[in-house]
Amino acid sequence: MKQISTFLFLLLFISFPVRAELEFNGFASIIGGKTLGKGETAYGYDHSFGFKPETRFALQANADLGDNLSATVQVLARGRENFEAKFEWAYLSYKFGSNTIHAGNIRVPLYRESEHIETGYVYHWVRPPAIVYNTFFNTWTGTSFVNKHFWGEIDGTFQIQYGRADDDSVMSPAGLEVELDLKGVALEYLLNWENWQARVGFMNVNVSIYSELNPLLIQSVEALKIQGIDVPQQYIDNVLTENDSFDYLSAAINYDNAEFFASAEYIRATQRDVSIIPDINNFFVTAGWRLDESWTIHTTYGEAKLNKRSHSELLDGVSADVLTLGVLSGLSNSLTSKGEFSGEDSKYVSVGVNYMFNPKAVLKLDFTSYRNDVATGNPDADTLSFGVDLVF
Amino acid sequence: MTKYIIFIVLILASFTSVAGSVIVHPDNNSKISELDIERLFLAKIESFSDGKKAIAVDQNGSSAIRNQFIKVVLKRSPRQLNAYYAKLLFTGKGTPPKPVGDDAEIIEKVANNIEMIGYVTHAPTDGSVKVVYEF
């Protein structure tokens, strides 16, 4: 699908060479960082300095095709993908009145900063707080409808998207490589009034995840079969994430009077089916002061709360004899402790200072501390990062 | 005493003096409020109150007039505005006004295009453009 849409857009760009007015823009973030403790890892960094995990370059081309139609591609090269250029966005836009329809590869409006998450220049952090902005996916292929309207001095933006993402290889929040197939609908409503902005978002997606859990479960099922124990299909369905329905609810409020700004964001992800993936309740609050035309200082605090499904819940709806249930209970224990979605409640604190040395470029220094209550392993990390975000 | 009064009046006058003018084509008869101008330059609306297409054009770089316009009319700082424009541009949510030059270039463009709206330090009085707002 991605190849097809990429091809289509290339074709469009080639076939409108005379009429279309091409416009190029871009942004870049050159970020370096390291964790402070030996053995700690975070955001792709370890104890020795690295520049690859968060460095990225993007070039956007926009062609106005006339009659309210335009085509846009955004090519992004990420250090963590060895700077292989990828079409991050590629879409056609059609405007009518105060409405816009986009179709193609688009970014999902999961949270407040999701759609412009790669453009570091537009927010004060080096990266939005991972305690909320830690997702399986950012973009999908689909279509969006955006409507802008006004209530006196207040202006509102409504957006609805429908899309699908099927990626061979994405990083799970726990840092495992998984295959993902996801489709669903996302809604967003934004209100702006003077220095205030409020946002609510809702998304429902059907998700299938293929990870090392799948072969592990199959092996276990085979092994039990040899011992004469038949694992009921219901149990397998409960453990695997296949066409499971997830709801994401997010809300954010923001205040900015040019000298002082503060915002808070909350997300809640729940699932409608029995699953091995925990429900989450995460939030952060952040505040910053623009000391003068150049300097900004800011701080952020966040918490993540996991409502873990108990092992016994994986036995919901499973009918089997007592012996089999006992064996499955043990299996559930070992599968969940395998830790695909391991981790417990966690806390996140960051402080940073920014220096705008050019109207289009900001130098940033950030210290982030992350603490997780997990008993085994140690995802805790203190990370120092710095770099430049720019737009051109 | 009168000297002092004149002095004070002059000081007050210097504070309230006009820094710039928002201009449109002389044949553009739509009503344009301060809020409309703010919304046009923030790419929140793309038409005038009569429903006809509007194209906002910006001054180049970080000129004094641009800073003043951003502060007084758009009620933002230049860096807030840069970030806001970058968000629009890289998410397809809108097209920021294109910088087309200084006073002379903006006047020339607006005088020749009924869809355009711009702002300048000194608006000409020869009728080539119409002043719809002063700041």
Side-chain angles (χ1 to χ4, degrees):
Chain A
M1 188 65 186
K2 244 177 201 165
Q3 280 81 1
I4 295 171
S5 54
T6 304
F7 177 72
L8 273 176
F9 279 102
L10 285 176
L11 207 68
L12 262 175
F13 273 92
I14 296 162
S15 58
F16 288 92
V18 186
R19 238 186 107 195
E21 197 184 313
L22 260 187
E23 202 183 280
F24 290 95
N25 296 96
F27 59 86
S29 294
I30 298 103
I31 310 287
K34 65 172 287 193
T35 56
L36 299 185
K38 269 191 184 144
E40 290 178 352
T41 55
Y43 322 111
Y45 300 113
D46 55 26
H47 191 51
S48 53
F49 256 113
F51 281 89
K52 266 185 155 181
E54 294 185 297
T55 296
R56 58 207 182 259
F57 298 88
L59 188 64
Q60 175 168 301
N62 179 275
D64 186 349
L65 307 175
D67 300 327
N68 297 322
L69 193 66
S70 69
T72 306
V73 291
Q74 193 183 105
V75 179
L76 187 72
R78 293 184 180 91
R80 67 177 141 90
E81 291 164 354
N82 284 318
F83 297 106
E84 271 176 42
K86 270 192 10 204
F87 282 89
E88 187 75 5
W89 296 73
Y91 59 92
L92 276 177
S93 298
Y94 179 69
K95 268 183 204 168
F96 55 104
S98 46
N99 309 301
T100 312
I101 289 177
H102 296 307
N105 263 11
I106 50 179
R107 182 96 27 93
V108 187
L110 253 178
Y111 311 127
R112 204 171 91 90
E113 317 282 355
S114 293
E115 286 179 277
H116 45 261
I117 195 162
E118 301 289 354
T119 317
Y121 176 86
V122 305
Y123 44 75
H124 56 287
W125 308 285
V126 165
R127 71 195 73 80
I131 205 137
V132 165
Y133 289 83
N134 188 5
T135 55
F136 276 86
F137 75 112
N138 275 325
T139 58
W140 60 15
T141 306
T143 179
S144 78
F145 169 82
V146 180
N147 170 270
K148 292 181 186 178
H149 51 266
F150 303 97
W151 316 86
E153 294 200 353
I154 302 172
D155 65 81
T157 308
F158 168 77
Q159 175 168 207
I160 181 165
Q161 284 194 2
Y162 178 78
R164 178 170 187 175
D166 43 352
D167 287 312
D168 297 341
S169 162
V170 288
M171 280 294 170
S172 81
L176 279 177
E177 222 173 277
V178 299
E179 267 178 57
L180 183 72
D181 187 358
L182 170 154
K183 55 183 174 292
V185 60
L187 295 145
E188 179 185 51
Y189 192 70
L190 279 167
L191 273 179
N192 279 291
W193 177 65
E194 292 184 351
N195 296 331
W196 293 89
Q197 190 184 57
R199 177 193 184 280
V200 284
F202 173 76
M203 180 170 83
N204 173 261
V205 281
N206 258 42
V207 187
S208 297
I209 299 170
Y210 306 96
S211 67
E212 60 185 56
L213 196 68
N214 298 54
L216 193 72
L217 179 67
I218 302 303
Q219 279 166 24
S220 307
V221 169
E222 295 290 319
L224 288 173
K225 205 172 213 166
I226 292 166
Q227 293 168 38
I229 297 171
D230 267 329
V231 176
Q233 187 58 39
Q234 180 68 46
Y235 179 78
I236 297 172
D237 292 346
N238 283 355
V239 172
L240 295 180
T241 305
E242 268 182 354
N243 256 332
D244 286 1
S245 183
F246 288 72
D247 293 317
Y248 283 79
L249 187 68
S250 57
I253 188 151
N254 183 59
Y255 175 81
D256 189 339
N257 71 8
E259 278 151 26
F260 168 77
F261 58 89
S263 66
E265 190 155 7
Y266 167 77
I267 63 152
R268 180 187 158 84
T270 52
Q271 50 216 290
R272 299 180 185 179
D273 312 293
V274 175
S275 165
I276 207 161
I277 304 173
D279 290 345
I280 52 173
N281 274 295
N282 300 358
F283 78 90
F284 71 79
V285 287
T286 185
W289 293 263
R290 297 188 186 94
L291 305 176
D292 57 23
E293 278 299 300
S294 310
W295 292 92
T296 304
I297 53 169
H298 61 87
T299 184
T300 302
Y301 174 80
E303 281 182 13
K305 237 179 156 42
L306 303 182
N307 297 334
K308 280 200 160 179
R309 304 301 181 104
S310 72
H311 307 147
S312 58
E313 200 179 324
L314 293 174
L315 298 173
D316 273 5
V318 177
S319 55
D321 55 67
V322 179
L323 174 71
T324 308
L325 284 177
V327 171
L328 292 181
S329 178
L331 179 59
S332 304
N333 231 323
S334 80
L335 287 174
T336 47
S337 70
K338 179 64 193 160
E340 186 182 12
F341 302 97
S342 71
E344 297 287 340
D345 297 352
S346 55
K347 288 186 170 64
Y348 179 102
V349 179
S350 81
V351 289
V353 54
N354 299 346
Y355 175 67
M356 183 165 265
F357 60 97
N358 176 295
K360 304 240 156 152
V362 199
L363 191 68
K364 293 180 179 176
L365 177 68
D366 173 281
F367 171 77
T368 297
S369 178
Y370 176 77
R371 292 289 177 272
N372 193 310
D373 294 343
V374 70
T376 54
N378 188 16
D380 293 358
D382 292 332
T383 313
L384 193 67
S385 45
F386 64 91
V388 178
D389 287 320
L390 53 110
V391 289
F392 55 90
Chain B
M1 184 63 187
T2 36
K3 263 188 199 166
Y4 283 115
I5 291 172
I6 290 169
F7 183 67
I8 288 166
V9 166
L10 277 177
I11 286 181
L12 285 175
S14 71
F15 277 118
T16 55
S17 75
V18 170
S21 310
V22 176
I23 54 168
V24 296
H25 191 273
D27 295 342
N28 185 336
N29 292 317
S30 61
K31 279 183 79 175
I32 302 172
S33 67
E34 186 186 343
L35 193 60
D36 291 336
I37 295 166
E38 186 185 329
R39 285 175 176 165
L40 282 165
F41 279 87
L42 294 178
K44 289 181 177 177
I45 53 174
E46 287 169 55
S47 56
F48 292 109
S49 57
D50 59 6
K52 289 191 179 124
K53 191 182 175 186
I55 302 169
V57 286
D58 205 355
Q59 291 259 353
N60 266 352
S62 50
S63 58
I65 180 72
R66 186 170 190 268
N67 289 342
Q68 187 69 7
F69 179 75
I70 294 169
K71 193 175 142 197
V72 176
V73 183
L74 305 187
K75 300 173 192 81
R76 280 166 160 78
S77 70
R79 23 177 191 174
Q80 274 180 299
L81 189 70
N82 282 345
Y84 174 82
Y85 282 163
K87 273 188 208 179
L88 288 183
L89 191 61
F90 296 118
T91 60
K93 288 271 178 69
T95 315
K98 276 195 187 75
V100 297
D102 57 12
D103 269 21
E105 280 149 316
I106 286 175
I107 289 163
E108 198 213 316
K109 293 234 182 238
V110 171
N112 289 304
N113 191 334
I114 196 165
E115 294 177 343
M116 283 190 177
I117 179 167
Y119 60 91
V120 290
T121 320
H122 302 290
T125 50
D126 60 3
S128 60
V129 295
K130 182 161 90 177
V131 173
V132 289
Y133 185 77
E134 288 178 329
F135 59 92

